[in-house]
Amino acid sequence: MRKIREVLRLKFQQALGHRQIAASCGIGAATVSDYLRRARAANVGWVEAQPLSDAELEARLFPQPQYSPVLERAPVDFGWVHRELRRSGVTLQLLWSEYVEGARGRCAAEPYQYSQFCARYHDYRSKLDLVMRQVHRAGDKAFIDYSGKKPVVIDAATGEVHEVELFVMVLGASNYTFAEATPSQKLSDFTGSITRALEFFGGVPNVLVPDQLRSAVRGPDRYDPDINATLLELAKHYGTTIIPARPRKPRDKAKVETAVLIVQRWILARLRHQRFYSLEELNLAIAELVVELNERPFRKLEGSRRSAFEAIDRPALMPLPAQRFQNFEWAKARVHVDYHVAFDHRFYSVPHSLVGERVEVRATELTVEIFHGDQRVFSHRRSYGPKGTMVSCEHHRPESHRDYGKWPPERLVAWASKLGPNVARVAEMTLASYPRPEMGYRPVLGIIRTGERFGAARFDAACARALAVSGSTAPRRKFIEALLKQRLEVVPLAVGETVRPLGHHDNVRGGAYFTKETKHAD
């Protein structure tokens, strides 16, 4: 008001021009013109302004518009608006038009205009609690995480307590929740939990949002995470997409963060006094409480997680495929000279033309597939036999000795002979001990490399001692290596020294030693 009074004084008392007044008061010339225009309209000059208070002068120059009486408006069910917005394709514009159409048919009150409709809905949404604040499209996203608080399982035999993981998956629109305990967060457990969660939902959302744990992301990154190949195959199988949350950004998956907290409070806390002696027993108890959790009514919204799921998410989920996803592992390997690749401590054959090539191994519970480039070379039934088991196809073997190429058995023996004649003899006996010579390539190469590590002279002497002790049996590399570590290759061989059966060793007492009679005799 001080500047308005000064404008009036300078104009009516000093008779200055508009530009001079503007320069003196530090305001624009247009503002000066506006003040004077308002003063003329209100018949207020400098003389009339002096006795008026600031409030009175402001009321004279800036009169408030006269509003019409507040009209009665048709009420809006904003709970209905909030629920409907989670359906696919539903917008505030569509809901407003349906509200207007319904209001005009129900009552005489005028409906809200679109801007007021939106403003009042946003006020309503801001007052909801955090569990239901975010708006998620039906069937769009499912959020995945593990609980920091872990349930425990007791070993019935030993009484040892083992912590297990608690997997949680929640649908964004309805908050429908799945939870189960797993032995670990390893890839097989992680993908297995996702598979069971999708079967629990009875459908597949458009996007899966996991945390950037190791089982989901091989290389965590804020902008371009390297998603695990197995998880990508799972997404491909179910027709969904994997979009991991950003590292250290819990708001990206606030739904599941809240769901984990609820599961901890409503499931783990209620199970704290119970003891479980198997994972299956624990999961049965969790499954019962998950059903109860999903049927609990919302505090500030109508219905429950289950009713919201049946009305919103279930119709929008994509159908499950006919077959369940088979969990598998990817591994890289190089084809050895025996035309086998190693996976899980067992060996699987490929065509001998691939010797030395790098391949990829894709293993499920039942099969082991080998890929060279993007082409599948061969598929074997997965072996669960003893470590070192060789699974071979007869067609992968060379047709003749010449087909061994640059790796014939004679070459390995000649290579071994560079370390000494006794090493060559051990190599020959090792190759002869297998049904097919190529099956002995790995053991012979192991012998040669061990010899290079210890030196030719020492290793040849150790092989000589091993041959003398073992007789007609091919000496094992570990036995020769043990002789070298104990420096026994330089100890003269006693007359008639042979390998004694393990049961007659001086340090092997046998079960009879621990009988009551023996103890009393002691």
Side-chain angles (χ1 to χ4, degrees):
M1 290 296 107
R2 290 195 303 271
K3 289 193 175 182
I4 293 178
R5 290 181 184 275
E6 183 66 8
V7 168
L8 295 176
R9 187 185 70 83
L10 294 176
K11 178 63 178 177
F12 295 106
Q13 189 175 22
Q14 302 296 329
L16 297 181
H18 287 194
R19 293 185 182 277
Q20 292 173 311
I21 296 173
S24 176
C25 295
I27 57 178
T31 304
V32 172
S33 298
D34 180 60
Y35 288 166
L36 294 176
R37 178 182 59 78
R38 290 176 178 273
R40 285 192 295 270
N43 294 319
V44 176
W46 170 241
V47 176
E48 292 80 7
Q50 285 183 354
L52 297 177
S53 67
D54 288 347
E56 291 172 338
L57 180 58
E58 182 179 6
R60 294 280 294 274
L61 299 185
F62 299 93
Q64 295 296 322
Q66 297 297 318
Y67 291 102
S68 59
V70 177
L71 298 176
E72 183 182 358
R73 298 290 184 178
V76 184
D77 183 359
F78 288 112
W80 166 78
V81 173
H82 189 73
R83 290 191 300 273
E84 290 297 310
L85 274 177
R86 287 176 281 168
R87 297 183 183 275
S88 179
V90 177
T91 63
L92 278 172
Q93 179 74 40
L94 174 63
L95 295 177
W96 173 75
S97 64
E98 292 178 355
Y99 153 73
V100 170
E101 183 178 352
R104 288 173 177 168
R106 288 196 311 269
C107 60
E110 286 293 317
Y112 287 107
Q113 295 300 313
Y114 178 66
S115 59
Q116 280 294 309
F117 179 86
C118 293
R120 290 175 180 270
Y121 167 69
H122 289 306
D123 288 342
Y124 166 85
R125 192 180 68 178
S126 66
K127 296 175 183 177
L128 295 177
D129 78 359
L130 293 176
V131 174
M132 296 296 292
R133 176 170 292 180
Q134 297 184 23
V135 177
H136 294 274
R137 299 299 182 192
D140 185 35
K141 291 180 180 179
F143 299 86
I144 303 167
D145 202 1
Y146 282 95
S147 168
K149 296 180 180 179
K150 302 178 182 181
V152 297
V153 172
I154 302 173
D155 191 321
T158 65
E160 187 177 358
V161 177
H162 300 279
E163 283 190 339
V164 294
E165 301 291 340
L166 183 61
F167 172 91
V168 179
M169 185 167 170
V170 59
L171 291 172
S174 63
N175 282 341
Y176 198 56
T177 303
F178 170 82
E180 72 168 11
T182 60
S184 68
Q185 294 187 22
K186 291 182 179 179
L187 181 61
S188 56
D189 293 326
F190 182 59
T191 54
S193 292
I194 294 176
T195 299
R196 289 184 288 273
L198 295 178
E199 292 172 354
F200 176 79
F201 297 146
V204 184
N206 294 323
V207 181
L208 298 179
V209 184
D211 199 359
Q212 292 205 19
L213 71 162
R214 189 66 175 174
S215 297
V217 178
R218 290 183 298 182
D221 188 85
R222 178 184 176 90
Y223 303 105
D224 189 19
D226 185 9
I227 302 174
N228 192 294
T230 303
L231 197 59
L232 288 176
E233 286 289 334
L234 180 144
K236 181 180 179 181
H237 179 82
Y238 287 108
T240 186
T241 304
I242 306 294
I243 303 179
R246 295 172 296 172
R248 297 179 296 279
K249 293 293 181 180
R251 290 185 180 180
D252 285 5
K253 51 183 179 64
K255 279 283 182 180
V256 74
E257 294 284 347
T258 305
V260 166
L261 182 62
I262 293 173
V263 168
Q264 290 173 351
R265 292 175 176 174
W266 289 92
I267 295 180
L268 288 188
R270 296 176 65 181
L271 298 177
R272 68 188 186 281
H273 298 307
Q274 300 184 36
R275 293 190 173 188
F276 301 97
Y277 296 94
S278 69
L279 198 64
E280 292 75 16
E281 184 182 352
L282 172 60
N283 275 326
L284 283 175
I286 291 175
E288 293 177 0
L289 294 178
V290 164
V291 172
E292 185 177 334
L293 170 65
N294 285 322
E295 292 179 349
R296 287 181 59 249
F298 291 127
R299 287 187 298 170
K300 296 188 178 181
L301 294 174
E302 294 182 1
S304 63
R305 287 172 174 81
R306 174 171 288 279
S307 63
F309 168 73
E310 296 292 345
I312 300 172
D313 269 325
R314 183 186 285 277
L317 291 176
M318 297 180 290
L320 290 167
Q323 294 184 347
R324 193 182 201 189
F325 175 72
Q326 290 291 328
N327 191 37
F328 63 88
E329 301 175 60
W330 280 102
K332 294 182 179 181
R334 186 184 291 276
V335 181
H336 204 264
V337 294
D338 60 358
Y339 55 87
H340 284 69
V341 296
F343 177 77
D344 192 25
H345 305 289
R346 294 160 185 87
F347 305 99
Y348 300 87
S349 69
V350 297
H352 64 89
S353 59
L354 294 176
V355 168
E357 296 291 331
R358 289 193 175 276
V359 295
E360 288 187 309
V361 181
R362 180 180 183 270
T364 67
E365 294 180 358
L366 301 177
T367 62
V368 173
E369 298 173 286
I370 296 99
F371 292 82
H372 182 241
D374 295 329
Q375 300 295 320
R376 190 179 74 165
V377 175
F378 202 75
S379 176
H380 292 278
R381 182 177 294 276
R382 185 165 182 175
S383 172
Y384 292 95
K387 291 182 179 180
T389 299
M390 301 189 75
V391 181
S392 304
C393 175
E394 193 67 23
H395 298 291
H396 295 161
R397 296 186 62 201
E399 294 182 0
S400 64
H401 182 80
R402 184 178 304 170
D403 288 330
Y404 286 113
K406 60 180 181 178
W407 288 103
E410 291 81 359
R411 179 177 179 182
L412 292 178
V413 174
W415 192 359
S417 66
K418 294 181 180 179
L419 298 173
N422 295 303
V423 182
R425 177 58 183 157
V426 170
E428 289 178 351
M429 294 177 67
T430 301
L431 292 171
S433 65
Y434 288 91
R436 298 194 296 270
E438 60 271 18
M439 296 175 68
Y441 283 2
R442 291 176 186 265
V444 170
L445 286 174
I447 290 170
I448 294 172
R449 287 167 183 161
T450 303
E452 292 173 345
R453 181 156 51 92
F454 283 95
R458 287 192 63 200
F459 194 71
D460 189 62
C463 287
R465 186 180 183 89
L467 287 168
V469 172
S470 62
S472 59
T473 305
R476 295 288 182 180
R477 178 183 59 83
K478 290 185 177 180
F479 176 65
I480 301 172
E481 192 172 355
L483 292 176
L484 290 163
K485 289 180 179 178
Q486 299 178 29
R487 296 190 174 277
L488 295 179
E489 79 279 3
V490 297
V491 178
L493 192 65
V495 178
E497 181 179 352
T498 58
V499 175
R500 287 183 291 175
L502 185 60
H504 298 290
H505 194 278
D506 294 338
N507 292 335
V508 179
R509 299 172 180 176
Y513 180 82
F514 297 95
T515 61
K516 293 182 179 180
E517 292 77 11
T518 306
K519 290 183 178 179
H520 288 309
D522 291 341

